Amino acid sequence: MKKLTVLLLICALAVGCAGCGGSNDGGNSSDSNAPAESGADQDEADADTEEPDAASDDGADEKSEGVMTYEEYAAAEVDSEVVVETYVQAKQSWWEDKATFYTQDKDGAYFIYDMPCSEEDYEKLVPGTKIKVTGYKAEWSGEFEIIDAEFEIEDGSYIAEAEDVTSLLGKDELIDHQNKFVSFQGMTVEAAGQDDAGNDVPFLYSWDGSGQDGDDLYFNVSLDGETYTFTVESYLCDNTTDVYKAVKELKIGDTVDMEGFLYWYEGVNPHITSVTVK
């Protein structure tokens, strides 16, 4: 009888253990879903991780306290003090501890003229470098610039892509893009003047042809019947650069695409950095 009782107890115990095993299997089954849930969680985490990068790109021009937006800078009176955060796009020149830069943020561009700058710092200010600039807004023959400035290097980097402004040529709103890195598409090379023999030529050394190799190059291009004078600024792109050589090889009637900085002198006078003959 005792043996029968013991056997019955052993059977009951075995059934109970089988139930625990089922429960554990159920737990493992539940655990087996965990990776999928973790994957979803990870996707959310990845999304959260990606957002700051996107925000960083979108917020490349979020200004520090006391720093102007481009809109505020554009509205500032000439001779007033301005404080901007911007990014070096190109260096025009350095001479006697003063430097001139083409700079831009995602909203607009700033031409910084003769800013005190050591040669050591000038070497640090490569394209993309973010700087905070405090100076005075000035105007010279239609060109707005920042003078008497001082700067400090900040964290951050931005290189502007060329904005196609071809359709704005001849329109008042073109000046709203002053000093930006821009492109012009499908323009026709026109005569810039004449040589000593009276033949039409596609470019001039200096604005009146009185210069020589190494000086600024002036050339004319047209669109829809209107002709514009563009420049290769020799401090920015000297006679060893591809663009300087390309302009010297232009022929009247060539169709060209160009990139450069939308400088202003008595009207639009872009400083061209690349020319492609189509």
Side-chain angles (χ1 to χ4, degrees):
M1 184 69 177
K2 287 181 180 179
K3 288 182 180 180
L4 180 59
T5 302
V6 170
L7 286 172
L8 290 172
L9 289 171
I10 290 172
C11 288
L13 182 61
V15 172
C17 287
C20 287
S23 176
N24 286 339
D25 287 344
N28 288 335
S29 177
S30 176
D31 288 345
S32 70
N33 291 329
E37 294 171 3
S38 296
D41 291 342
Q42 186 61 47
D43 287 343
E44 292 179 4
D46 290 344
D48 289 342
T49 302
E50 290 171 1
E51 284 176 5
D53 291 337
S56 176
D57 289 341
D58 293 340
D61 300 316
E62 291 180 1
K63 306 302 183 182
S64 302
E65 185 176 354
V67 174
M68 292 175 158
T69 63
Y70 180 76
E71 184 179 7
E72 290 170 333
Y73 165 79
E77 297 290 332
V78 170
D79 296 331
S80 64
E81 185 177 63
V82 293
V83 183
V84 302
E85 285 175 331
T86 183
Y87 302 81
V88 175
Q89 302 300 305
K91 302 191 284 187
Q92 187 191 82
S93 62
W94 178 88
W95 181 252
E96 294 183 343
D97 285 342
K98 290 184 178 180
T100 297
F101 300 90
Y102 302 82
T103 76
Q104 186 169 340
D105 62 22
K106 293 178 72 176
D107 296 318
Y110 315 82
F111 186 69
I112 302 172
Y113 181 74
D114 263 5
M115 180 169 66
C117 177
S118 69
E119 188 171 13
E120 181 182 2
D121 283 341
Y122 186 71
E123 294 304 318
K124 295 177 185 176
L125 296 177
V126 297
T129 304
K130 184 178 183 180
I131 53 176
K132 179 180 178 180
V133 178
T134 302
Y136 292 87
K137 185 175 179 179
E139 184 267 339
W140 185 68
S141 296
E143 167 68 17
F144 291 97
E145 55 195 21
I146 299 175
I147 64 171
D148 298 332
E150 58 185 29
F151 74 97
E152 54 188 277
I153 297 174
E154 298 185 325
D155 292 335
S157 181
Y158 172 68
I159 296 290
E161 294 184 3
E163 179 180 347
D164 186 352
V165 295
T166 311
S167 64
L168 297 180
L169 282 167
K171 297 180 180 178
D172 291 342
E173 54 264 43
L174 181 62
I175 199 170
D176 296 336
H177 300 267
Q178 186 178 118
N179 294 319
K180 282 185 179 180
F181 185 53
V182 297
S183 68
F184 303 91
Q185 307 294 318
M187 301 191 71
T188 303
V189 177
E190 304 290 349
Q194 294 184 327
D195 61 18
D196 293 339
N199 299 313
D200 288 342
V201 292
F203 73 89
L204 297 173
Y205 292 114
S206 296
W207 67 273
D208 60 355
S210 63
Q212 59 188 349
D213 187 51
D215 291 331
D216 295 348
L217 297 181
Y218 284 76
F219 63 106
N220 290 344
V221 287
S222 66
L223 182 73
D224 298 332
E226 296 294 330
T227 299
Y228 307 89
T229 299
F230 287 11
T231 304
V232 177
E233 214 283 339
S234 59
Y235 286 133
L236 176 63
C237 298
D238 64 23
N239 60 355
T240 67
T241 59
D242 289 342
V243 65
Y244 200 99
K245 296 173 184 176
V247 169
K248 289 173 62 177
E249 294 173 359
L250 290 176
K251 297 178 177 61
I252 296 170
D254 281 346
T255 299
V256 292
D257 294 340
M258 296 162 288
E259 292 180 345
F261 295 98
L262 195 63
Y263 190 78
W264 217 263
Y265 177 75
E266 304 293 347
V268 61
N269 179 218
H271 288 177
I272 298 301
T273 59
S274 73
V275 171
T276 302
V277 178
K278 300 180 71 174

